[in-house]
Amino acid sequence: MITLGLVALYFARIVLIPLAIALSLNFLLTPAVMQIERVKIPRLLAVLLVVLMAFSLVGGVGWIVARQVVAVINYLPNYRDNIHEKLTSLHPPTSGAFGRTITSLREIGAEVSNATEPKEERKPEVEPRTRRERERARLEAEKQPVPVTVVTPPPSAGEYFVRYARPALEPLGFVLMVAIFTFYMLLKRESLRNRLLLLGGMGQLNLMSQALNEAASRISRYLVLNVLVNACYGVVFGVALYMLGVPNATLWGTVMGILRMIPYAGTLIGAAVTVAFTLAVFSGWWHALWVLLIFAGLEFLVAYFLEPHVYGRGTGISAFALVVMAIVWTLLWGWPGLIVSTPMTVCLIVMGRHIPRLSFLHTLLGEDAELSPQAHFYERLLAMDQQEARTVADEFLEEHTLSELYDMVMLPAIVASEQDRKKGAMDEVHSGWLYHSASELVAELSEYRPAPGMDEAAVVETSVVPGLEHPPERACPVTCMPVEDEADEIAGTMLAQLLERFDHQTMLLPPSALSEEILSRLAEEPRTVICISAVPPFAFTRARRLAQRLRESLPNNPVVVGLWGDLGDVEAIRLRFGNARPDAIVTTLRDALARVRELDARSSAPAGSESETNG
């Protein structure tokens, strides 16, 4: 399909190029038409007025610039001496090491050329001696063919039209097509919009409407700002040239402002022409150097400071995609394709954003098609790039709390690695390195101190059930128990680290160390909350078995089961535990913190103040 689309774009370019330019002009001129319509002027008159003004402005500027360019070209012979001096100074040197090298290369080339050139063997001419030989030579000379001269007849009217009139009429026809398309699009914009909505179908009405609105707003804003920025660029450049004393400074400022609307190539062409003219006019090199410095400084300020601030994220195209699509449109349509490359690419991105089948366009071309922090973190761990993974975590912590980092970045990476390992998509070497790197990062974050405004306590306390805020004199102890492997242990370590920030005494206890002696000690402290840490996908059975054992040995201790990840209906999962039903089932570390705080508040609440809930 992509190949057929490119072929159609290439062979139908005679019609599609003026249509694309007219579409760009429609986005540019529609705000002006709407402003005129607001003062109760009929649409037909408003469109006629805007189109006439736009084409008159373009035609007038083009005519003035063309006349001045012709005048400059006709006046250039007066600077023949400066041009000859510059060209002479550009010849390669004949003295010195570099000059001797060039001379030697030229001599070698000449020798090679003479050696490979075939030599013609010329037979010596023999003068006829006898009368018979002279007569034979005369007869042979008379037999030589007479040269024929072909006389071209004068061209007919049709040939004259094809040769001279057609090259002049083709641009006029192109401009006429652009004007007709622009006029019709401005006049019938609602009709065209309705046709596009009908093509999408009534079921996609909302989707297509959003796509059209987004494309119109993005392209209109970009084109209007582009015209204003380039106009100001040309004015500043012209004023700088005038202060430098360059003749026709207004012309070169206008040319630079116009050419800069052509991405990439236009700016370079404008600068090259201006510098070349300065070299021809002035006898030295300093004026040309100053012009080059003015161009470089102005381009640096506009391209890296003004345009990013003015345009913002208006187009939504990544820088690399913009270059690639400019090359593609130029190969398809030539210079007109380069001019309309940005608006056409914006249309493709909007289609990819709103049409699921074309979502790859938004992924390939859009500037916001980036990996999420959790995906980026996991990808860096898979690539065994621990430093970059740490950078991702540090950048996330600049705007989020530690519990959010664990829940939204690190814990999803641990869950994904466990799933890949169970499916056989990850070998033991990579999984071991990943778990080791994650453990080191969690250990380093134990010394993390949040920035002002990132109060972890305030975030978690808002999650506690209202009415149960009876702060105890001393936070209850918590024992975290990973059910089996290293992934469960890392998640349990994260939870223990967060609980310690709330003054909970925590202990990480693997099931293999769960002896009768330890169970009896835990039974003596009924306030101690037991937190089971289990990472899917095959953690439910082991978590239920461990919860059953704890329920039998510790009937008075609260039990919280952490099944980390998006598991759907938590209450349905809780029912599957049967008689080993825990006091709470959580899927995130923040929920685990809130449940522990809630259970602690219940156990320490005064008699009669405890609320009955289904935790």
Side-chain angles (χ1 to χ4, degrees):
M1 291 298 293
I2 296 177
T3 303
L4 291 177
L6 293 176
V7 171
L9 288 174
Y10 179 77
F11 286 102
R13 63 186 182 277
I14 298 177
V15 177
L16 293 180
I17 290 176
L19 185 62
I21 296 177
L23 182 62
S24 301
L25 290 176
N26 176 72
F27 287 123
L28 180 63
L29 300 179
T30 295
V33 174
M34 294 176 66
Q35 289 292 335
I36 296 177
E37 287 180 342
R38 287 194 179 98
V39 296
K40 306 303 180 180
I41 295 179
R43 172 168 297 181
L44 178 60
L45 185 59
V47 171
L48 281 174
L49 184 61
V50 170
V51 171
L52 287 176
M53 290 177 59
F55 280 88
S56 299
L57 178 63
V58 173
V61 172
W63 175 255
I64 295 173
V65 170
R67 289 190 60 183
Q68 292 194 18
V69 169
V70 171
V72 168
I73 293 174
N74 293 332
Y75 199 70
L76 279 179
N78 296 329
Y79 306 111
R80 186 181 294 108
D81 295 337
N82 291 336
I83 297 174
H84 179 72
E85 180 183 352
K86 298 297 191 308
L87 293 177
T88 303
S89 62
L90 291 176
H91 289 169
T94 57
S95 60
F98 185 66
R100 289 193 299 270
T101 301
I102 294 178
T103 304
S104 300
L105 292 175
R106 286 179 176 175
E107 292 176 354
I108 294 172
E111 292 178 1
V112 172
S113 178
N114 293 333
T116 57
E117 198 174 280
K119 298 181 179 180
E120 297 180 358
E121 296 183 359
R122 300 181 63 184
K123 296 181 179 180
E125 297 181 359
V126 180
E127 292 289 336
R129 298 180 179 180
T130 63
R131 181 179 179 181
R132 181 177 297 176
E133 290 176 353
R134 288 197 297 271
E135 186 67 20
R136 185 181 302 168
R138 185 183 63 80
L139 293 175
E140 290 178 357
E142 291 178 354
K143 293 179 180 179
Q144 294 295 328
V146 179
V148 179
T149 303
V150 179
V151 180
T152 304
S156 62
E159 293 175 347
Y160 184 85
F161 175 81
V162 172
R163 185 179 303 177
Y164 298 103
R166 184 177 178 181
L169 292 178
E170 282 185 353
L172 294 178
F174 181 84
V175 173
L176 183 61
M177 291 177 64
V178 172
I180 293 174
F181 286 148
T182 304
F183 179 80
Y184 183 82
M185 288 180 180
L186 290 173
L187 187 63
K188 301 292 185 181
R189 59 178 184 269
E190 281 84 5
S191 177
L192 293 175
R193 179 187 181 90
N194 295 337
R195 294 175 190 273
L196 292 175
L197 293 175
L198 289 174
L199 286 176
M202 295 302 296
Q204 304 291 330
L205 189 61
N206 181 42
L207 196 65
M208 291 296 296
S209 180
Q210 292 180 7
L212 292 176
N213 290 334
E214 182 179 351
S217 61
R218 283 195 180 192
I219 298 175
S220 296
R221 180 176 181 274
Y222 168 76
L223 291 176
V224 171
L225 292 177
N226 188 42
V227 171
L228 294 177
V229 168
N230 291 325
C232 296
Y233 187 103
V235 170
V236 175
F237 189 71
V239 171
L241 294 182
Y242 177 79
M243 296 177 64
L244 193 61
V246 177
N248 303 101
T250 305
L251 169 65
W252 302 118
T254 305
V255 169
M256 179 61 77
I258 294 174
L259 289 179
R260 204 174 181 276
M261 295 181 186
I262 303 175
Y264 309 110
T267 305
L268 297 178
I269 293 173
V273 171
T274 308
V275 171
F277 175 76
T278 310
L279 288 173
V281 171
F282 296 97
S283 57
W285 295 85
W286 285 106
H287 284 81
L289 181 60
W290 276 111
V291 170
L292 190 60
L293 290 176
I294 291 171
F295 162 74
L298 191 59
E299 186 66 24
F300 178 79
L301 292 176
V302 173
Y304 290 95
F305 293 96
L306 180 60
E307 287 182 338
H309 177 72
V310 173
Y311 296 156
R313 299 171 63 89
T315 59
I317 311 175
S318 68
F320 179 74
L322 192 62
V323 175
V324 173
M325 293 307 295
I327 295 174
V328 171
W329 287 110
T330 304
L331 293 176
L332 289 174
W333 290 351
W335 287 103
L338 182 60
I339 297 174
V340 300
S341 61
T342 300
M344 299 300 293
T345 307
V346 170
C347 292
L348 293 178
I349 290 177
V350 172
M351 292 170 60
R353 181 190 295 272
H354 294 280
I355 301 177
R357 293 183 179 179
L358 300 177
S359 59
F360 68 93
L361 293 174
H362 180 259
T363 303
L364 293 176
L365 304 176
E367 66 177 351
D368 55 350
E370 299 179 355
L371 289 175
S372 60
Q374 57 266 33
H376 192 191
F377 180 79
Y378 184 44
E379 185 271 332
R380 286 295 85 198
L381 289 181
L382 290 177
M384 294 187 174
D385 188 351
Q386 187 178 14
Q387 183 61 37
E388 184 65 23
R390 176 60 191 265
T391 302
V392 174
D394 291 340
E395 292 177 353
F396 190 86
L397 277 176
E398 293 177 359
E399 299 179 357
H400 299 83
T401 62
L402 185 61
S403 64
E404 290 174 331
L405 171 68
Y406 286 161
D407 277 332
M408 301 172 63
V409 178
M410 296 189 64
L411 199 56
I414 299 298
V415 173
S417 66
E418 189 70 4
Q419 291 175 348
D420 289 342
R421 191 172 70 87
K422 298 297 184 182
K423 292 186 297 186
M426 181 185 298
D427 56 28
E428 294 298 329
V429 175
H430 281 79
S431 62
W433 189 93
L434 189 147
Y435 292 146
H436 177 72
S437 300
S439 299
E440 286 188 350
L441 181 56
V442 172
E444 293 176 8
L445 290 173
S446 62
E447 305 295 330
Y448 168 74
R449 292 295 177 265
M454 294 293 177
D455 186 8
E456 192 85 47
V459 174
V460 175
E461 292 296 342
T462 57
S463 302
V464 178
V465 178
L468 294 178
E469 292 85 349
H470 301 283
E473 296 180 359
R474 182 176 60 87
C476 67
V478 180
T479 299
C480 298
M481 294 185 182
V483 296
E484 186 181 21
D485 54 17
E486 195 171 358
D488 305 327
E489 183 178 347
I490 294 173
T493 304
M494 293 180 188
L495 178 58
Q497 187 183 104
L498 293 175
L499 288 168
E500 288 177 354
R501 292 178 177 269
F502 289 86
D503 299 326
H504 291 276
Q505 294 182 358
T506 60
M507 178 176 61
L508 193 66
L509 188 66
S512 58
L514 200 62
S515 62
E516 294 297 331
E517 182 182 357
I518 292 179
L519 289 174
S520 61
R521 289 184 179 179
L522 290 175
E524 294 174 357
E525 299 180 3
R527 284 191 62 200
T528 301
V529 178
I530 312 298
C531 293
I532 299 175
S533 174
V535 176
F538 303 116
F540 176 78
T541 303
R542 296 190 300 273
R544 183 174 60 182
R545 188 182 304 119
L546 180 58
Q548 179 69 36
R549 182 182 178 186
L550 293 174
R551 218 14 123 199
E552 294 174 355
S553 303
L554 307 171
N556 298 322
N557 291 78
V559 176
V560 177
V561 176
L563 295 174
W564 315 117
D566 187 9
L567 303 177
D569 189 358
V570 176
E571 188 61 30
I573 296 175
R574 186 183 178 188
L575 293 176
R576 293 172 59 189
F577 274 82
N579 295 331
R581 188 179 303 176
D583 294 270
I585 295 179
V586 294
T587 58
T588 66
L589 296 175
R590 177 179 291 186
D591 287 344
L593 287 172
R595 293 310 101 198
V596 170
R597 302 288 289 175
E598 177 186 345
L599 293 171
D600 191 17
R602 285 179 179 177
S603 62
S604 60
S609 63
E610 187 172 334
S611 302
E612 294 293 332
T613 65
N614 291 326

